[in-house]
Amino acid sequence: MTRSTGSGASVRSRARRSRALGRLVFLGPGLTYLIVLLLIPLALLISFTVFRRGRFGGIVYELTAENFTRLFDPLYLGVVIGSLRLAAIATLIALLVGYPTAYLIAQLPQKWKTIALVAIVLPFWTNFLVRIYAWIILLSGPGLVNSTLMDLGLIDKPLELLYNQGTIVTGLVYSYLPLMVLPLYAAIEKLDPQLREASANLGAGPVRTFASVTLPLTLPGVLTGCLFVFVPSFGNFIIPELLGGGRSIMVGNLIRDQFLKSRDWPFGSTLALALIAVLIVLLLAQAWSARRA
Amino acid sequence: MRKSRLLYVPFWATYVFLYTPIVVLVVMSFNAGDSPYVYEGFSLEWYGTLAKNAAIREGLVNTLIVAVGSTVLATVLGTLLAVGLARHTRSRALDALGMLPAVLPDLVLGIGLLVFYATIKSTLGLHSVLLAHTVFGMAFVTAVVRTRLTHADTSLEEASRDLGATPFTTFVRITLPQLAPGILAGALLAFTLSIDEFVIAFFTAAPTTPTLPIVIYSMVRFGVTPEINALATLLLLVSFTAVIVTQRMTRLTESLS
């Protein structure tokens, strides 16, 4: 009604004002929150990488490149490479276990499919620390694994199952396996079964069909799953600390220690930046290959 | 379709792998003996000890305060942001910014907020954890509500506007009711994630205001007791119930719509 009484120009300016108001009301609060509590903290971290540490923690605002040169110190570079290695092994194991599992779930009747999927996700929704703790109970000297092996007469005295790199990998696979199975399942589920039949009819064996039909078509799911496992594994500091016994430390522990123990914020920020850089490279690689697929 | 029997080996291995630790944990929580490793008979002793543990009770209260507060804040901010991103801008950069807290490693967000609070000389406590949890809770609410918005029918909103309703009236009477299931799902997600969240809370809480995950972490670090098994079992029960109820609810809403 107001609309018909106003002149064309005033209607347009009112519409523009109401659009601006809409933007302010809907985008304003959330974006302000993200700028203050996400972008400013990240900008602080990034700016710290070029400054010197204070003698008692904190920052001295003198420009320096020493944080970056320290990054290539064999001691720290070794930790970064070691973390990449452990995260990669965990990702590979999760893929090798997760792929056949997801493949079989996709073939189940609808009712069992839902149950099987919920059963995969269920442990993931339980407290992270509780799941890690469960492994300490299971793998400790007098724990179930050792006592079973001894009862079977396979070993005479308990094995040292806890506090080594294998334990860390076990913890990582256990924690993030559901994140591998879900995208794999989504990719396999979408696959047209007729393609596999066609391949079989044309004389390809199961291995050939898998290698040249199933695997290439589910590759985006494979990459997503690998990313979902690798990313939280690489920056993890709880699993190495609780299951690795502090002897083999990962880049996450190193970053944590820079902030809470040695109070070297500039170097801690530089390590965090390196962590993000690795993850960005991986995300870009994944986006690139997804677009090609 | 051909099914190889061999495939069943990794399939069952996955489930055995996922559930053995959980089963052992639960069984050991009913252990009569002092050891968390060796089963010596049934008892509810450790649940009694747990109920008397003041640190755990305090942690639980802190966790609930943080979870409720950050969920309310994240739901309001996230819903508004989702509507803003879907209806009031076409910027992909802003879209990416809205999602950033969900993809950023928690460690980076945790230390970022730690140095931020230190730089503005803010005290640490429940408020600092609450504000920190809102950052990622908001991203998940935004994502869920935004998905619903892209599937929502815009003709009702247009009709409302054409009939002369103000943007505010349109939002309250048309958009919000359409979005309600998405907002609820987003809020539930934010709440669950906040309750379990450890890393960000670890960096932003004061030593005097530990959340439950922080209490569990220090208990596990100082040694293993059957009391933790009892606590873990109760937490498992809560999570399992929540997941199954959500599952039932979503199936119910699916069959209704």
Side-chain angles (χ1 to χ4, degrees), chain A:
Chain A
M1 276 154 278
T2 38
R3 174 175 286 206
S4 53
T5 55
S7 72
S10 84
V11 166
R12 239 173 290 133
S13 86
R14 198 179 305 137
R16 205 179 306 131
R17 222 179 311 135
S18 116
R19 262 205 308 276
L21 189 70
R23 256 190 225 127
L24 189 72
V25 168
F26 288 108
L27 292 169
L31 291 183
T32 310
Y33 198 91
L34 287 177
I35 289 168
V36 175
L37 281 131
L38 179 69
L39 292 187
I40 292 179
L42 287 179
L44 279 175
L45 279 186
I46 293 170
S47 70
F48 284 178
T49 60
V50 296
F51 292 121
R52 232 178 267 286
R53 67 175 291 199
R55 195 176 297 163
F56 308 104
I59 303 284
V60 177
Y61 291 98
E62 276 171 43
L63 287 178
T64 174
E66 75 179 22
N67 299 308
F68 289 96
T69 46
R70 248 177 105 191
L71 204 58
F72 293 96
D73 184 314
L75 179 69
Y76 299 116
L77 201 62
V79 173
V80 174
I81 291 170
S83 314
L84 282 171
R85 202 181 119 253
L86 287 181
I89 295 172
T91 307
L92 187 68
I93 295 175
L95 177 64
L96 292 179
V97 180
Y99 201 101
T101 306
Y103 190 87
L104 236 160
I105 295 176
Q107 327 287 324
L108 290 173
Q110 190 57 48
K111 186 185 160 211
W112 290 107
K113 211 182 262 185
T114 316
I115 293 173
L117 280 175
V118 171
I120 291 281
V121 186
L122 209 49
F124 191 73
W125 282 110
T126 61
N127 188 285
F128 181 75
L129 292 159
V130 164
R131 282 180 289 152
I132 300 308
Y133 171 74
W135 278 99
I136 300 180
I137 301 280
L138 203 61
L139 295 178
S140 63
L144 184 77
V145 173
N146 269 320
S147 59
T148 310
L149 289 175
M150 293 214 292
D151 288 346
L152 291 172
L154 292 172
I155 51 173
D156 305 326
K157 56 178 201 295
L159 298 172
E160 290 263 344
L161 295 171
L162 268 176
Y163 309 131
N164 56 52
Q165 300 212 334
T167 328
I168 299 178
V169 171
T170 309
L172 292 174
V173 174
Y174 186 74
S175 302
Y176 304 120
L177 185 61
L179 296 181
M180 175 64 88
V181 174
L182 290 186
L184 283 177
Y185 165 80
I188 296 167
E189 166 87 319
K190 267 194 302 198
L191 206 64
D192 188 349
Q194 287 185 336
L195 287 173
R196 262 172 295 174
E197 276 166 37
S199 166
N201 290 342
L202 290 169
V207 174
R208 179 94 196 269
T209 302
F210 179 77
S212 49
V213 177
T214 313
L215 189 60
L217 285 174
T218 52
L219 204 59
V222 171
L223 291 171
T224 309
C226 287
L227 205 64
F228 281 1
V229 175
F230 189 89
V231 169
S233 298
F234 182 51
N236 208 293
F237 76 90
I238 310 166
I239 294 175
E241 172 158 333
L242 296 181
L243 294 179
R247 259 180 289 173
S248 38
I249 102 178
M250 287 176 72
V251 65
N253 306 74
L254 203 55
I255 295 175
R256 193 267 324 264
D257 290 348
Q258 299 308 313
F259 282 92
L260 298 185
K261 283 187 190 152
S262 33
R263 300 198 40 89
D264 188 344
W265 287 6
F267 187 54
S269 303
T270 312
L271 284 166
L273 196 65
L275 179 90
I276 301 176
V278 170
L279 299 182
I280 287 177
V281 168
L282 288 173
L283 279 170
L284 289 179
Q286 196 256 359
W288 177 77
S289 59
R291 212 174 311 128
R292 267 178 40 132

Side-chain angles (χ1 to χ4, degrees), chain A residues 33 101 107 119 133 174 241, chain B residues 1 14-15 18-19 131 217 229:
Chain A
Y33 198 91
T101 306
Q107 327 287 324
Y133 171 74
Y174 186 74
E241 172 158 333
Chain B
M1 183 162 311
T14 300
Y15 287 98
L18 285 177
Y19 284 92
L131 292 177
Y217 173 75
N229 290 32

